[in-house]
Amino acid sequence: MMTAVVADQVESDYLQLIQNFRRRTFIKILKDLGGEAHIREVVRRIAKFEGKENDRRVIKSIHVSLLQTHIPRLERAGIISYHNGVIKLIELPPELEYYIEIVERGDIPWCIYYMVSSFVALIVSIILQNLPAAIIVSSFLVASHIHVFQTYDIKFLLHKSFKRFLTLIRR
């Protein structure tokens, strides 16, 4: 029983680490660079990923947020080390591999892809009057909706406008 509680706490800590979009991007870029890079290179790539590589204010904002927030937090978790401008990926826990999905600008996240595919399949099965297929596809549609709500955190739908939801999906 105690090990289940500890495992839940560790998973919760990992999820808190990667809940921030910029931190997920930072980890992905560091991983793509072979686990070691200078902070300037990471900042440049994050700015490029965000589509703001020519905006000096955004670049400065990225640099400051990495130094003041993201790097210290990831260092405390034992995932990276930072010394003299060089960032090293010490260990990326396997649990995080499953949660890090970086969606390039213009790409569709998998959860949205499956939701739309399920919806289209449901419409086709209704048009073809295939009740067993419609029932099966409906279960996939419900599961894909749950995945979307978990991925994009349903709480903000209850407290924020629908516009914010669309903004998160486009990232």
Side-chain angles (χ1 to χ4, degrees):
M1 179 72 172
M2 186 61 169
T3 57
V5 172
V6 171
D8 287 345
Q9 181 61 42
V10 168
E11 183 175 350
S12 175
D13 292 345
Y14 286 150
L15 292 176
Q16 287 178 0
L17 278 175
I18 61 168
Q19 74 182 2
N20 180 278
F21 177 75
R22 192 170 279 172
R23 197 165 26 249
R24 283 192 313 270
T25 305
F26 170 72
I27 293 170
K28 172 78 167 98
I29 288 171
L30 196 57
K31 201 172 151 211
D32 290 347
L33 291 171
E36 184 174 332
H38 196 278
I39 191 166
R40 284 189 302 259
E41 178 64 16
V42 174
V43 168
R44 185 187 68 76
R45 287 183 183 231
I46 290 174
K48 184 176 181 184
F49 184 80
E50 292 180 3
K52 309 280 186 170
E53 65 261 37
N54 296 323
D55 189 338
R56 291 202 183 278
R57 286 189 313 230
V58 171
I59 291 171
K60 184 175 182 178
S61 167
I62 293 169
H63 191 264
V64 169
S65 73
L66 286 180
L67 286 175
Q68 292 181 352
T69 305
H70 305 304
I71 289 174
R73 191 157 187 191
L74 291 169
E75 271 188 311
R76 282 191 305 272
I79 293 174
I80 66 162
S81 69
Y82 177 74
H83 185 67
N84 290 336
V86 177
I87 307 162
K88 292 182 182 178
L89 187 62
I90 297 172
E91 178 184 2
L92 186 59
E95 294 87 355
L96 289 182
E97 291 283 343
Y98 298 110
Y99 295 112
I100 295 178
E101 176 186 4
I102 302 296
V103 180
E104 299 289 335
R105 193 171 293 271
D107 283 353
I108 300 171
W110 283 107
C111 57
I112 302 293
Y113 174 81
Y114 289 123
M115 184 175 68
V116 171
S117 298
S118 299
F119 181 74
V120 170
L122 179 62
I123 297 299
V124 170
S125 62
I126 290 172
I127 289 171
L128 297 175
Q129 297 178 352
N130 187 338
L131 183 61
I135 292 170
I136 292 169
V137 170
S138 295
S139 67
F140 284 109
L141 186 60
V142 169
S144 66
H145 272 78
I146 291 169
H147 186 192
V148 168
F149 291 141
Q150 287 178 341
T151 301
Y152 294 106
D153 195 2
I154 188 66
K155 289 184 290 188
F156 75 80
L157 284 176
L158 302 173
H159 298 92
K160 305 287 181 185
S161 68
F162 188 67
K163 185 177 180 181
R164 174 140 185 231
F165 177 70
L166 293 176
T167 304
L168 288 174
I169 290 175
R170 289 187 195 127
R171 284 188 177 173

